[in-house]
Amino acid sequence: MQYPEWIWHNGEIKRWADATAHVMSHALHYGSSVFEGIRCYETPSGPAIFRLNDHNKRLFASAKIYEMQIPYTLEQINAACHEVIKRNGLTKAYLRPFAYRGLGGFGLSAETPIDVSVATWFMGPYLGDGVLEAGIDACVSSWQRFAPNTIPAGAKAGGNYLSGQLVAREARRLGFGEGIALASTGLLSEGAGENLFLVFDGALHTTPVSAALLNGITRNTIITLARDAGLTVVERDLPREYLYLCDELFMCGTAAEITPIRSVDGRQVGAGKPGPVTRQIQDLFFGLFDGRTRDTYGWLDPL
Ligand code: PMP
């Protein structure tokens, strides 16, 4: 990763190296951070941040769950996202706003200061070069997602990603492109850092928010675009074997975008390559950025 020059930290633009936290920061010990991942795309009318306000609303929602008072407004965080991309002269970029319990007090319920940063850097395809076209081989993880009455999956909190690391690292160690986790019910949940869509007879099926998953903004984007294109979308619980039996399968997220899955646990999915519905969804999604899909939703926020 090539670090950029500037970062937004507690209300100011600073040099990357100067945005430091103390080793005794609460978040380092207890996972008490909340964050977002947002992409900025190049479009025919200039760079635009995708669903900026929706992402940062989720940042505040995650903070609310953990009783963290972010000492800035939503509008200030949105403005910081714009500012840090511009200061770094980036056009195609990933944005990482985050808030964390900093230094001050000790113990789980300590009322620490809430520090806030917005980092940005260039990022290509998250799961590797060429995967958007070729697809990946995935596996079901031996690790399950957390039960709903343990850690809320609906918060995008740092601590949740201990689970994601176990799933992703196991998959890579075993030679797979990504891992998929089951919920504590034994039913399908989501990928290590991505939501799932399965295609049966031309209809899209995605696992519900009750299946221990993050309610992804890309997932919502796909549901909206697909329904507006006349496709059927169903949110439903699905057992593991449907991963092997569906006609097409893909994962989605801000980082992973729309990544086709060509096999799961060594079983070929459909024709073993991105199918027509997956390609249609990719076209609709990437069309938002190259001008083929009209943004009638107000999702593109020009820099
Ligand atoms: N699930 C998890 C666990 C994630 O980390 C992400 C990425 N933020 C997603 C799903 C997809 O969410 P989004 O489309 O909002 O990026």
Side-chain angles (χ1 to χ4, degrees):
M1 174 178 165
Q2 176 113 35
Y3 299 137
E5 206 173 345
W6 304 103
I7 184 165
W8 188 96
H9 186 61
N10 286 339
E12 298 169 56
I13 293 278
K14 294 185 182 171
R15 291 210 172 267
W16 182 270
D18 295 336
T20 52
H22 196 274
V23 291
M24 286 306 290
S25 294
H26 196 274
L28 271 180
H29 298 256
Y30 304 126
S32 41
S33 65
V34 294
F35 68 98
E36 276 303 316
I38 311 172
R39 276 191 191 259
C40 179
Y41 286 94
E42 283 159 345
T43 78
S45 43
I49 307 177
F50 187 57
R51 302 194 67 170
L52 173 68
N53 198 57
D54 293 325
H55 277 283
N56 282 333
K57 266 167 75 180
R58 189 173 65 185
L59 180 76
F60 279 82
S62 300
K64 181 178 185 183
I65 294 172
Y66 286 100
E67 303 178 50
M68 292 168 65
Q69 286 287 340
I70 296 179
Y72 301 97
T73 62
L74 175 62
E75 292 69 31
Q76 285 174 309
I77 304 294
N78 286 346
C81 290
H82 278 268
E83 194 183 353
V84 74
I85 294 188
K86 282 196 222 147
R87 276 299 285 269
N88 283 301
L90 292 168
T91 50
K92 188 174 163 49
Y94 184 79
L95 274 161
R96 167 56 54 85
F98 59 106
Y100 59 97
R101 288 203 172 276
L103 182 68
F106 179 74
L108 294 175
S109 62
E111 280 309 336
T112 67
I114 305 297
D115 292 315
V116 185
S117 269
V118 183
T120 188
W121 61 92
F122 170 82
M123 190 164 82
Y126 171 63
L127 293 170
D129 287 336
V131 298
L132 301 179
E133 298 78 26
I136 58 162
D137 300 306
C139 64
V140 173
S141 180
S142 66
W143 293 99
Q144 290 186 338
R145 298 275 295 167
F146 22 87
N149 55 350
T150 58
I151 291 177
K156 193 166 170 62
N160 293 22
Y161 288 80
L162 289 171
S163 159
Q165 287 174 58
L166 290 170
V167 173
R169 295 187 71 91
E170 180 185 62
R172 306 282 143 74
R173 182 164 20 83
L174 297 174
F176 292 96
E178 186 57 300
I180 295 169
L182 303 180
S184 60
T185 54
L187 297 168
L188 275 179
S189 176
E190 62 172 348
E194 308 85 8
N195 296 128
L196 287 175
F197 279 87
L198 295 79
V199 180
F200 297 95
D201 297 326
L204 290 153
H205 295 236
T206 191
T207 45
V209 291
S210 51
L213 52 84
L214 184 72
N215 189 358
I217 288 165
T218 318
R219 174 183 181 277
N220 172 268
T221 301
I222 292 167
I223 292 173
T224 307
L225 290 174
R227 286 192 176 141
D228 287 356
L231 294 168
T232 300
V233 185
V234 192
E235 293 177 63
R236 60 179 287 218
D237 272 323
L238 288 157
R240 172 178 181 164
E241 64 273 22
Y242 280 65
L243 292 173
Y244 314 146
L245 302 177
C246 58
D247 305 321
E248 300 177 37
L249 175 63
F250 61 87
M251 38 181 44
C252 69
T254 298
E257 299 172 301
I258 295 167
T259 301
I261 300 178
R262 55 188 178 204
S263 76
V264 181
D265 298 335
R267 289 138 174 108
Q268 180 174 303
V269 175
K273 56 181 191 196
V277 177
T278 306
R279 277 217 226 85
Q280 185 182 354
I281 297 295
Q282 284 184 325
D283 283 348
L284 287 168
F285 179 76
F286 290 110
L288 286 164
F289 315 121
D290 64 21
R292 283 171 301 149
T293 303
R294 266 192 58 220
D295 175 26
T296 54
Y297 314 93
W299 287 338
L300 294 175
D301 198 329
L303 256 202

